[in-house]
Amino acid sequence: MKSVLGVNIDHVATLREARKGAMPEVIAAAVIAEQEGGHGITVHLRQDRRHIQDRDLRLLKSVVHSKLNLEMSLSEEITAIALDIVPDQATLVPENREEVTTEGGLDVHGQIERTREVSRRLAARGVIVSHFIDPEPKQIEAAKEAGAAYIELHTGAYANARWANKAHEYTKLVEGARFAAGLGLGVNAGHGLDYLNVQPIAAIPEVEELNIGHAIIARAIFCGLAGAVREMALLIAGAGESRDWPWKL
Ligand code: PXP
């Protein structure tokens, strides 16, 4: 199966919130990202509202024609907003106030009742429920038990691994994807992916959607958002032609 690109536009809002003004407009970013090869738009409405605001989510719901994927914590406040807005997909993520970005995967195993309850309420509104987890069998099984339709495998450890550890982290993702698919879960992946490390992940047969933000927005500052999205979409579409990754499997 070919993977598709979900463009995370949080950091367009990060730039806007640096001045608390109107620029750059995240809605414009969503339109460009969709037109240039994004198969979905992803935003994370954090409890601290450090980037995406409620107004952004409301407008995106009517503007996005592809798939709107809301990253969200298990908090009741955010759950109520998600149930009101009804995005196409909700990806349940952990959230700590102090963190710079989402650090580990959601500990579904350790909070299975709450995760199941939030997942059930979202699914009842027709939302596709995904759990952002580390590639550990225990978490994958818990996601299945808690009612996820999809998991999003956390690719951060692979992205951050030095050369000698890349193959090891990659293998965990490959095996996690296979294990999840065997349980009947759909598989997405994301976090820390960039123009250099994306292709091996896009080549994992079970992976359907890659959610990528920081690298695209960073490149957009120098090259423009349209080209940055196009280039990432092309890399993803071209993955799978070679499994000869430089760090040797
Ligand atoms: N997927 C999830 C669940 C995330 O929390 C994030 C970060 O918001 C991403 C993907 C995108 O990560 P990055 O910005 O490093 O591409």
Side-chain angles (χ1 to χ4, degrees):
M1 182 188 318
K2 282 277 181 201
S3 327
V4 297
L5 171 63
V7 183
N8 180 316
I9 56 173
D10 288 350
H11 294 308
V12 176
T14 301
L15 195 54
R16 179 193 62 195
E17 294 306 305
R19 288 293 169 91
K20 305 259 177 240
M23 295 188 300
E25 174 55 78
V26 294
I27 309 307
V31 171
I32 292 169
E34 275 191 332
Q35 287 176 351
E36 302 297 336
H39 279 76
I41 301 296
T42 295
V43 290
H44 184 176
L45 185 69
R46 294 186 71 105
Q47 285 168 268
D48 63 13
R49 307 297 199 274
R50 68 174 69 161
H51 39 53
I52 294 296
Q53 306 295 312
D54 302 54
R55 158 270 186 204
D56 300 328
L57 185 59
R58 264 195 314 279
L59 291 173
L60 286 168
K61 167 73 183 180
S62 58
V63 165
V64 169
H65 293 293
S66 55
K67 178 159 85 172
L68 178 61
N69 174 36
L70 174 65
E71 290 178 9
M72 54 175 279
S73 69
L74 296 172
S75 87
E76 192 49 39
E77 184 222 352
I78 301 293
T79 301
I81 293 171
L83 291 169
D84 180 40
I85 298 285
V86 192
D88 300 296
Q89 177 172 289
T91 301
L92 305 184
V93 302
E95 204 177 290
N96 302 316
R97 284 188 185 267
E98 313 305 319
E99 69 193 357
V100 175
T101 180
T102 313
E103 281 161 2
L106 183 67
D107 180 13
V108 180
H109 184 262
Q111 46 189 336
I112 196 149
E113 291 310 326
R114 177 65 184 160
T115 313
R116 186 187 284 122
E117 189 206 328
V118 173
S119 301
R120 185 184 45 74
R121 287 159 70 196
L122 289 164
R125 298 278 279 140
V127 178
I128 300 166
V129 177
S130 178
H131 296 172
F132 179 58
I133 55 174
D134 292 322
E136 293 170 11
K138 182 175 89 170
Q139 296 295 349
I140 296 168
E141 281 169 342
K144 175 74 186 173
E145 246 184 85
Y150 276 78
I151 57 163
E152 180 173 327
L153 288 173
H154 193 319
T155 50
Y158 155 81
N160 292 333
R162 303 296 293 264
W163 195 257
N165 276 333
K166 273 278 193 243
H168 175 66
E169 293 299 337
Y170 183 63
T171 302
K172 285 203 244 173
L173 293 164
V174 169
E175 289 174 355
R178 197 177 301 145
F179 182 62
L183 294 179
L185 290 161
V187 183
N188 301 328
H191 210 283
L193 296 178
D194 62 26
Y195 295 84
L196 298 179
N197 66 22
V198 70
Q199 284 204 314
I201 302 299
I204 298 173
E206 293 83 5
V207 171
E208 292 182 31
E209 173 186 290
L210 298 174
N211 284 304
I212 308 179
H214 188 263
I216 292 175
I217 305 307
R219 180 163 294 207
I221 287 176
F222 297 115
C223 308
L225 183 59
V229 170
R230 235 175 6 244
E231 208 177 319
M232 187 61 85
L234 282 173
L235 281 173
I236 291 171
E241 287 166 6
S242 162
R243 293 203 129 240
D244 190 17
W245 314 122
W247 23 270
K248 299 280 182 248
L249 294 172

